[in-house]
Amino acid sequence: MWIILSGGREPVAEGCPDFELPRGSSRMGESVVSVRGLTKHFNGVQALADVHLEVAPGVFGLIGPNGAGKTTLLRVLLGLIRPDKGQAKVLGLDISSQSLQIRQRVGVLHEKPTYPPFMRIDNYLKMVTELYGSAKTTQKLLDLVGLSDVGWRQIRTLSAGMNQRLGIAQSLAGDPELVFMDEPTSNLDVIGRDEIIKLLVELYHETGISFFISSHNLSQLEKLCHNVAFIDAGRVIEKGPTGQIIDKHTSGLYNVVCSDPKSLIYAFESDPDILVVGTSGIDAVTLCVKNLDFTSAREQIYHTAAQHDIELRTFTKANTLEDAYREVIRNA
Amino acid sequence: MRVLRFGTLLMVIGLSIVAIAAFPPRTGMGGGGPLEPGGYQGGLYMFTSNIHVTIDVRDNLTISLYLLDWDDTLTLLQTGSLDHTSPHIAYHNITSFSGIIEVPAPGVYSLVADSTHNETVFLDIDMYTILPQTHILAPGLVFICLGASIIILRIMYTKYTAGQ
Amino acid sequence: MRERLSELRKLSCLELTLSYRFPTIEFLVAILVFSSGLGVLSIGMTSIGMNLNPDPYYNATQTTEHYTEHMVQKKTLAYVQALVTCTNVLFFLIPLFVAFTVARPFEDGTLKTILSYPVNRSTLMSVRTLLLLSLTSIPTIALSAVWTSTLIPSDLNIGYAMIASIATLVSILMMYAISQFAAIISKKSSATVIVGMIFWIMVTTLIYGPFLPITLVATLNPVSAVFNFIVGGEYAPTISDLVVGISSALVIALCLIATSLKLFFKAEV
């Protein structure tokens, strides 16, 4: 079944309420990425297995564990590797015959990117801009990513966060319509991650560029993406608007923090209505309660806990992308 | 940056040339043998610096020794005489010689001896190049100075413009 | 056409900045200045004995021609010796350069970054090939010519000098082709260097003596074969051996380069 992924929840960059993403409807249109039956093997190991995907304009997140095939899919779309089977189009252009035209219109930020260490930032950006034949000035790019004060520095002297900003700057050098980002925050600390997310949200607002972000950092993608797809072992196992996916897969899921999680798990072992999904923290347990609303579920759990002399500290609905992802992977 | 690299390139070329100048050239230059009356005995050599020459004439006989450049050597070969040549060095009526002969420029020279006797003269010639090979060293040093000047001027210019 | 040239220019700038940054070119030129200088001096310092007896039967023309020919041969030999010395050094350096410019970008991810830009793979490879060949062969030929003409007067045997220059180009091309092929097949700089070194040892040792057929020697190391041809001797090749050797080397090198380009076009990055 083909799904046009569009019009998801309203992602908000945490701590920066000014950067709410607009509802995508005005930007939605033709797919920016269209993948049909892509298959790829590496020395007998299946990296992509019959992948089908349609990505609408906006911010899209490809989520999966390490080795799931995210980077492979990205490399195939960029023409860096050839698929064994299947077809794909980026911005309506075929990846096997129009790779150069695709690369002219997209920007790329690879995972742990390598840039010439002894070059100055401004010189490197100038060179990349020339390669694209773009009219964008180096100063504008530096301003865009907040590196204007350090444009004279050699790339090797940059911190991980600055390096990632440079990566984003070079990905925007050719005035792209779509930017591919592979784990854009993988080697950053919390502050660095927040800065990059804030930057991406700003860029989306200012430029209207579509982003295709591959990551295993779910909290980050939940804040950013209109649409997401889960990929595991080379297969797309779920796809859709972020909000819908969360709602669909977290219905009846609750996180409980208690004084004795081991006893709580034991207490619900024989209960047919309440399923222990797993531990989600040192004192936290995720429970799945079917056929009960929030209040009834809470009452029943509190009651059972009290019977076993367990103190319940918090009871919240599990409704994050991470919860949904965990559920999808568990069911898969 | 390009100017600095050009300056460095000149310096590096200069250093390589200086390294060659310090390199001992092929030794064992020399010659000798019988010198017939009215004839010329010697050899064609490539000199890149002054040379130390030792000549021994047997039986206390005398010879004349000349250092000719390539053009004069051709004149000698064409005319069979030194009449129309202007030797760089000329020592007359010597029985032995040991000393440094100054070579004005790098190139091919002939060191020839002629006899002033009406009998065959036997002579032994031995020579070696004086290190460093000055005619190679000099351009090497010129390159180094040129490169260094370009680098210094460039740095001064950068500092001056930065100051403004 | 103009776009193509502009792309070539941009990629050349990129390649010069990435792979030939300070002091790579300076180091290469320094080595070539030294090698070509030593090559010329090693031949130039040999002496030619003179014994003139200008009696009535003295044949001035014949004698002058005799010595002039000697000088022409000496100058030509000095030029070829300079080329041989430089080429032998380049046989060692080219695998290192290819490992650095072709294989290493596969390993460190630079190639992935570059190929994500609108860069044509074949243009990128052509630029790399042209740059390396220009940076090695032009200084080799130019410096050998400068040293020879500065230090040794008299004329040069243009025919032999041309053959030697072509043989130098073919020798460099051959070494580059082998290294490039190894780099693209293996995508590893260590493998490229090892293959290059094996070939270097082969061409600098086996070519002396009766181990290999003369035509094969001329194929493996054309410039040394030209030197042997000018010097003469027991194992000297004939002109037909030279032509066959140089042509074979050229064909092998071009085939290897074409195959490498094809492989690079399909290479997974």
Side-chain angles (χ1 to χ4, degrees), chain B residues 43-82:
Chain B
L44 277 166
Y45 306 95
M46 189 177 86
F47 293 140
T48 49
S49 75
N50 296 340
I51 46 160
H52 187 276
V53 179
T54 307
I55 293 178
D56 277 319
V57 187
R58 294 181 202 171
D59 306 324
N60 281 332
L61 295 173
T62 55
I63 57 158
S64 295
L65 184 71
Y66 307 95
L67 180 71
L68 306 173
D69 64 15
W70 176 239
D71 291 335
D72 281 342
T73 307
L74 283 177
T75 311
L76 169 67
L77 291 170
Q78 280 156 1
T79 60
S81 133
L82 288 167

Side-chain angles (χ1 to χ4, degrees), chain B:
Chain B
M1 192 63 192
R2 280 179 192 167
V3 177
L4 281 178
R5 277 196 84 167
F6 180 67
T8 318
L9 183 67
L10 288 182
M11 276 187 77
V12 165
I13 290 173
L15 285 169
S16 298
I17 296 173
V18 167
I20 291 175
F23 211 80
R26 195 186 178 93
T27 52
M29 287 193 295
L35 173 57
E36 299 295 332
Y40 298 96
Q41 163 78 25
L44 277 166
Y45 306 95
M46 189 177 86
F47 293 140
T48 49
S49 75
N50 296 340
I51 46 160
H52 187 276
V53 179
T54 307
I55 293 178
D56 277 319
V57 187
R58 294 181 202 171
D59 306 324
N60 281 332
L61 295 173
T62 55
I63 57 158
S64 295
L65 184 71
Y66 307 95
L67 180 71
L68 306 173
D69 64 15
W70 176 239
D71 291 335
D72 281 342
T73 307
L74 283 177
T75 311
L76 169 67
L77 291 170
Q78 280 156 1
T79 60
S81 133
L82 288 167
D83 288 346
H84 301 288
T85 62
S86 48
H88 287 289
I89 304 283
Y91 296 118
H92 298 284
N93 299 321
I94 51 170
T95 52
S96 67
F97 176 82
S98 180
I100 292 169
I101 291 183
E102 284 191 10
V103 176
V108 172
Y109 292 85
S110 58
L111 192 69
V112 289
D114 72 346
S115 169
T116 48
H117 298 274
N118 288 328
E119 55 184 303
T120 303
V121 176
F122 288 90
L123 66 151
D124 298 306
I125 306 173
D126 188 32
M127 61 178 114
Y128 58 86
T129 307
I130 308 235
L131 287 178
Q133 300 175 63
T134 43
H135 297 310
I136 292 180
L137 183 72
L141 292 176
V142 168
F143 269 100
I144 291 174
C145 293
L146 206 63
S149 310
I150 288 172
I151 291 169
I152 291 166
L153 285 174
R154 177 67 200 181
I155 291 170
M156 281 169 66
Y157 175 76
T158 312
K159 280 190 176 168
Y160 174 71
T161 47
Q164 279 195 333

Side-chain angles (χ1 to χ4, degrees), chain C residues 39-267:
Chain C
V40 171
L41 286 181
S42 69
I43 296 293
M45 288 294 183
T46 55
S47 57
I48 300 168
M50 276 176 80
N51 200 347
L52 306 178
N53 287 308
D55 51 24
Y57 304 106
Y58 179 69
N59 188 335
T61 315
Q62 198 182 6
T63 312
T64 310
E65 269 178 16
H66 171 73
Y67 281 101
T68 314
E69 262 175 38
H70 260 298
M71 282 307 294
V72 168
Q73 202 199 6
K74 185 174 176 171
K75 185 167 182 170
T76 310
L77 213 52
Y79 174 70
V80 179
Q81 177 64 51
L83 293 179
V84 170
T85 315
C86 287
T87 311
N88 283 344
V89 174
L90 286 175
F91 275 172
F92 177 81
L93 289 180
I94 285 173
L96 298 180
F97 272 99
V98 174
F100 187 71
T101 58
V102 180
R104 207 182 67 161
F106 275 106
E107 294 173 311
D108 68 7
T110 321
L111 188 64
K112 191 171 68 177
T113 305
I114 293 173
L115 289 180
S116 301
Y117 301 135
V119 169
N120 199 323
R121 286 191 185 209
S122 51
T123 317
L124 178 69
M125 212 58 217
S126 310
V127 164
R128 280 183 177 165
T129 306
L130 285 175
L131 263 183
L132 187 61
L133 291 179
S134 319
L135 286 173
T136 49
S137 57
I138 293 173
T140 300
I141 292 171
L143 288 167
S144 303
V146 168
W147 275 114
T148 316
S149 55
T150 311
L151 294 177
I152 307 174
S154 91
D155 297 328
L156 188 71
N157 186 325
I158 298 292
Y160 287 172
M162 286 289 283
I163 292 174
S165 304
I166 291 167
T168 304
L169 284 174
V170 173
S171 301
I172 291 172
L173 192 69
M174 178 86 163
M175 192 55 173
Y176 176 76
I178 287 167
S179 306
Q180 189 198 43
F181 187 71
I184 290 172
I185 285 273
S186 69
K187 297 179 189 171
K188 285 189 172 65
S189 36
S190 53
T192 309
V193 172
I194 289 168
V195 170
M197 291 299 148
I198 290 170
F199 186 72
W200 175 65
I201 291 168
M202 210 165 83
V203 296
T204 49
T205 54
L206 289 181
I207 57 160
Y208 302 108
F211 310 110
L212 296 174
I214 289 171
T215 319
L216 186 58
V217 171
T219 308
L220 289 173
N221 195 340
V223 69
S224 286
V226 172
F227 184 81
N228 292 342
F229 168 73
I230 296 172
V231 172
E234 198 182 345
Y235 304 116
T238 60
I239 190 76
S240 57
D241 290 330
L242 272 188
V243 171
V244 171
I246 293 173
S247 314
S248 313
L250 185 64
V251 169
I252 292 170
L254 291 178
C255 286
L256 275 175
I257 286 177
T259 313
S260 304
L261 261 177
K262 215 168 180 179
L263 289 172
F264 183 70
F265 205 76
K266 290 180 181 171

Side-chain angles (χ1 to χ4, degrees), chain A residues 16-49:
Chain A
C16 44
D18 296 342
F19 301 107
E20 240 178 71
L21 286 176
R23 190 170 288 280
S25 56
S26 62
R27 298 176 196 261
M28 299 306 156
E30 203 180 306
S31 303
V32 286
V33 174
S34 166
V35 176
R36 290 172 187 233
L38 272 190
T39 303
K40 179 71 190 170
H41 290 85
F42 288 116
N43 302 323
V45 178
Q46 192 157 43
L48 293 176

Side-chain angles (χ1 to χ4, degrees), chain A residues 40 42 75 78-82 100 103-104 106 108 110-111 114-116 118-119 124 127-128 130-133 170, chain C residues 7 9-11 13-14 17-18 21 108-121 265-269:
Chain A
K40 179 71 190 170
F42 288 116
R75 286 162 71 200
L78 289 167
L80 296 175
I81 55 175
R82 283 159 196 261
L100 196 64
R103 283 180 280 136
Q104 184 70 53
V106 303
V108 186
H110 287 287
E111 185 184 10
T114 315
Y115 306 115
F118 291 92
M119 264 187 104
Y124 181 66
M127 201 176 68
V128 175
E130 277 179 10
L131 278 179
Y132 279 103
Q170 60 84 38
Chain C
E7 195 185 359
R9 188 190 61 80
K10 283 180 205 165
L11 283 177
C13 289
L14 174 83
T17 317
L18 293 185
R21 64 182 175 79
D108 68 7
T110 321
L111 188 64
K112 191 171 68 177
T113 305
I114 293 173
L115 289 180
S116 301
Y117 301 135
V119 169
N120 199 323
R121 286 191 185 209
F265 205 76
K266 290 180 181 171
E268 299 199 330
V269 184

